[in-house]
């Protein structure tokens, strides 16, 4: 067996659509044993994230919250006002991820897993770790160092070759894939469900 690094499946929900300018409003993760591909018991991570108010967001160069995004994510501005700020959530997330880096080395770090994480969630991680308005680390001269420096699993990219000739599937969206595989859509577009 080649891989001995824990997989961390994670997902952000956000207040807008552009990963380069959005604000994260929710973060969830779960750890997967690389040998058995089973969830590690008790490994769930979940938090809402308090966004900047609209004026502060504009001043910091990030998108203000969009009502449409909140509707999709089933969140309200009132609920998010009571959430912990991103600095506190991010420090907890760093501790969570590094707790699965059993040897503590760069090459022993967990492998990130997500759906369209390469085109969305990974961009948000890089921004939180390395640039304004957050710049919260961990990072080095190459960028964010939270996860394995090379390995990364994007389930959307894996689904493409498996489903390329499938005429029953409308698109590779999470909603269509959940429907196709008979999965519950009840709490779709919440970080812990996705």
């Amino acid at each position: 067996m080649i891989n001995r690094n824990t997989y961390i499946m994670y997902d952000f929900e956000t207040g807008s659509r552009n990963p380069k300018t959005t604000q994260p409003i929710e973060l969830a993760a779960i750890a997967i044993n690389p040998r058995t591909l089973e969830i590690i018991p008790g490994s769930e991570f979940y938090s809402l994230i308090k966004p900047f108010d609209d004026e502060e967001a504009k001043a910091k160069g990030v998108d203000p919250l969009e009502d449409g995004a909140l509707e999709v994510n089933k969140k309200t501005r009132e609920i998010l006002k009571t959430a912990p700020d991103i600095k506190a959530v991010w420090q907890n997330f760093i501790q969570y991820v590094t707790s699965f880096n059993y040897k503590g080395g760069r090459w022993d770090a967990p492998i990130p897993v997500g759906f369209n994480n390469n085109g969305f969630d990974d961009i948000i991680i890089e921004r939180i770790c390395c640039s304004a308005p957050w710049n919260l680390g961990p990072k080095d001269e190459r960028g964010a160092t939270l996860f394995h420096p090379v390995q990364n699993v994007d389930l959307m990219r894996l689904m493409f070759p498996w489903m390329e000739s499938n005429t029953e599937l409308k698109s590779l969206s999470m909603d269509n894939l959940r429907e196709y595989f008979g999965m519950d859509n009840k709490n779709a577009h919440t970080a812990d469900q996705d």
Side-chain angles (χ1 to χ4, degrees), residues 67-79:
D67 291 332
L70 295 176
E71 186 177 316
V72 167
N73 297 325
K74 302 169 188 78
K75 302 293 178 285
T76 65
R77 292 173 190 269
E78 292 72 32
I79 292 289

Side-chain angles (χ1 to χ4, degrees), residues 7 14 20 28-29 37 43 49 55 83 115 125 151 172 180-181 190:
Y7 292 108
T14 60
K20 294 178 181 178
L37 298 181
S43 69
I49 302 169
E55 292 306 313
F115 187 86
I125 284 186
Q151 301 304 327
L172 288 178
Y180 180 80
F181 287 114
T190 60

Side-chain angles (χ1 to χ4, degrees), residues 50-63:
K50 182 179 183 176
F52 301 123
D53 66 41
D54 289 353
E55 292 306 313
E56 190 177 8
K58 290 176 190 173
K60 292 186 181 285
V62 297
D63 296 339

Side-chain angles (χ1 to χ4, degrees), residues 5-79:
N5 299 59
T6 301
Y7 292 108
I8 301 283
M9 183 170 283
Y10 78 98
D11 186 43
F12 283 105
E13 296 301 332
T14 60
S16 62
R17 291 183 175 200
N18 186 339
K20 294 178 181 178
T21 55
T22 194
Q23 295 188 71
I25 60 172
E26 186 177 25
L27 174 59
I30 196 158
I32 310 284
N33 182 313
R35 292 182 180 91
T36 65
L37 298 181
E38 294 174 347
I39 293 171
I40 296 172
S43 69
E44 299 84 4
F45 178 93
Y46 176 80
S47 185
L48 291 174
I49 302 169
K50 182 179 183 176
F52 301 123
D53 66 41
D54 289 353
E55 292 306 313
E56 190 177 8
K58 290 176 190 173
K60 292 186 181 285
V62 297
D63 296 339
L65 296 182
E66 296 175 1
D67 291 332
L70 295 176
E71 186 177 316
V72 167
N73 297 325
K74 302 169 188 78
K75 302 293 178 285
T76 65
R77 292 173 190 269
E78 292 72 32
I79 292 289

Side-chain angles (χ1 to χ4, degrees), residues 4-194:
R4 298 183 187 282
N5 299 59
T6 301
Y7 292 108
I8 301 283
M9 183 170 283
Y10 78 98
D11 186 43
F12 283 105
E13 296 301 332
T14 60
S16 62
R17 291 183 175 200
N18 186 339
K20 294 178 181 178
T21 55
T22 194
Q23 295 188 71
I25 60 172
E26 186 177 25
L27 174 59
I30 196 158
I32 310 284
N33 182 313
R35 292 182 180 91
T36 65
L37 298 181
E38 294 174 347
I39 293 171
I40 296 172
S43 69
E44 299 84 4
F45 178 93
Y46 176 80
S47 185
L48 291 174
I49 302 169
K50 182 179 183 176
F52 301 123
D53 66 41
D54 289 353
E55 292 306 313
E56 190 177 8
K58 290 176 190 173
K60 292 186 181 285
V62 297
D63 296 339
L65 296 182
E66 296 175 1
D67 291 332
L70 295 176
E71 186 177 316
V72 167
N73 297 325
K74 302 169 188 78
K75 302 293 178 285
T76 65
R77 292 173 190 269
E78 292 72 32
I79 292 289
L80 293 173
K81 283 180 185 177
T82 66
D85 70 24
I86 193 164
K87 186 174 183 179
V89 173
W90 199 247
Q91 290 307 310
N92 289 336
F93 190 62
I94 290 170
Q95 289 176 350
Y96 168 79
V97 172
T98 57
S99 75
F100 294 101
N101 185 337
Y102 302 113
K103 293 184 180 178
R106 178 176 172 86
W107 297 98
D108 304 304
I111 297 171
V113 179
F115 187 86
N116 191 27
N117 54 317
N118 294 161
F120 196 81
D121 302 82
D122 293 348
I123 296 168
I124 296 169
I125 284 186
E126 189 71 22
R127 287 176 53 226
I128 292 171
C129 288
C130 301
S131 61
W134 301 296
N135 202 19
L136 299 174
K139 64 181 181 175
D140 65 15
E141 67 281 353
R142 292 171 283 206
T145 59
L146 187 60
F147 288 111
H148 193 278
V150 174
Q151 301 304 327
N152 183 308
V153 179
D154 187 329
L155 296 173
M156 188 172 84
R157 288 186 178 195
L158 291 175
M159 293 306 295
F160 179 77
W162 291 352
M163 299 294 176
E164 181 181 18
S165 300
N166 186 319
T167 57
E168 298 173 39
L169 201 58
K170 299 172 195 163
S171 73
L172 288 178
S173 73
M174 286 276 293
D175 290 336
N176 285 327
L177 288 167
R178 272 193 288 267
E179 181 181 327
Y180 180 80
F181 287 114
M183 298 168 76
D184 187 6
N185 260 340
K186 182 179 175 188
N187 292 314
H189 303 290
T190 60
D192 54 344
Q193 177 69 23
D194 286 354

